[in-house]
Amino acid sequence: MDEGDHEDEEAEEEDEEDDEDEDGDDGINHDEVILGNITDLIYEIARSYGNDFAPYFQQIASHLVEYTSDKHPKNDKNMALGCLSEVFAAAPGIIPTYFNDYLPLLEANSNTGDSKVNRNVAYSLGILAQHATLLFQPHVNNAL
């Protein structure tokens, strides 16, 4: 075998390794990275727009809530819950529209055994107590 053939084999091996990385064999959960970036973007836009974010949130809210279901990994659930709470903190004027759906979602996720999800639920309840006091007041005992 001459040197040119050896270099061709090495190039083919590198190409195969690159293909494996693109297929997700690099140990990175690309879906999780994408969801993390999307939730960060949603939060930052909500923070920038404040209550004017409401019509945009209306378009994406149901898609975001889908990630809190049990058919998604805990990390997805955690990111979605965190994003929802941050949006409500940044745009408290939209809380009344979603309150009756959001509170049961928090209650359903309040005893998961996952400390990150539980922390986000507690933070979310605090956001409701702070920004939707009158709506949340009848639910304080259950939240505690």
Side-chain angles (χ1 to χ4, degrees):
M1 184 185 296
D2 66 278
E3 255 184 62
D5 288 342
H6 184 63
E7 289 174 2
D8 289 342
E9 284 180 12
E10 286 180 1
E12 285 177 11
E13 287 176 14
E14 287 176 24
D15 286 344
E16 288 174 10
E17 289 174 12
D18 289 346
D19 288 343
E20 287 176 9
D21 285 350
E22 291 173 5
D23 291 338
D25 289 343
D26 53 6
I28 297 173
N29 182 335
H30 296 283
D31 290 343
E32 186 177 319
V33 171
I34 291 168
L35 181 60
N37 290 338
I38 289 170
T39 56
D40 288 347
L41 178 64
I42 292 168
Y43 160 65
E44 289 299 332
I45 293 172
R47 197 169 66 112
S48 297
Y49 278 63
N51 290 327
D52 292 335
F53 185 63
Y56 307 106
F57 188 68
Q58 182 180 8
Q59 294 175 27
I60 60 173
S62 63
H63 300 289
L64 190 56
V65 168
E66 173 62 29
Y67 284 93
T68 66
S69 75
D70 288 335
K71 64 182 176 181
H72 288 277
K74 285 184 204 176
N75 286 339
D76 291 358
K77 181 182 288 197
N78 191 45
M79 283 188 277
L81 286 170
C83 182
L84 289 166
S85 63
E86 293 294 353
V87 167
F88 291 147
I94 65 176
I95 294 173
T97 303
Y98 299 96
F99 183 85
N100 290 329
D101 294 319
Y102 188 54
L103 188 59
L105 177 69
L106 295 177
E107 290 172 350
N109 287 288
S110 64
N111 293 312
T112 64
D114 182 279
S115 63
K116 291 178 183 177
V117 172
N118 291 340
R119 191 172 26 244
N120 268 336
V121 168
Y123 176 73
S124 299
L125 291 171
I127 294 298
L128 294 179
Q130 181 179 6
H131 295 291
T133 307
L134 294 177
L135 287 171
F136 186 66
Q137 192 171 14
H139 306 280
V140 170
N141 283 335
N142 287 342
L144 295 174

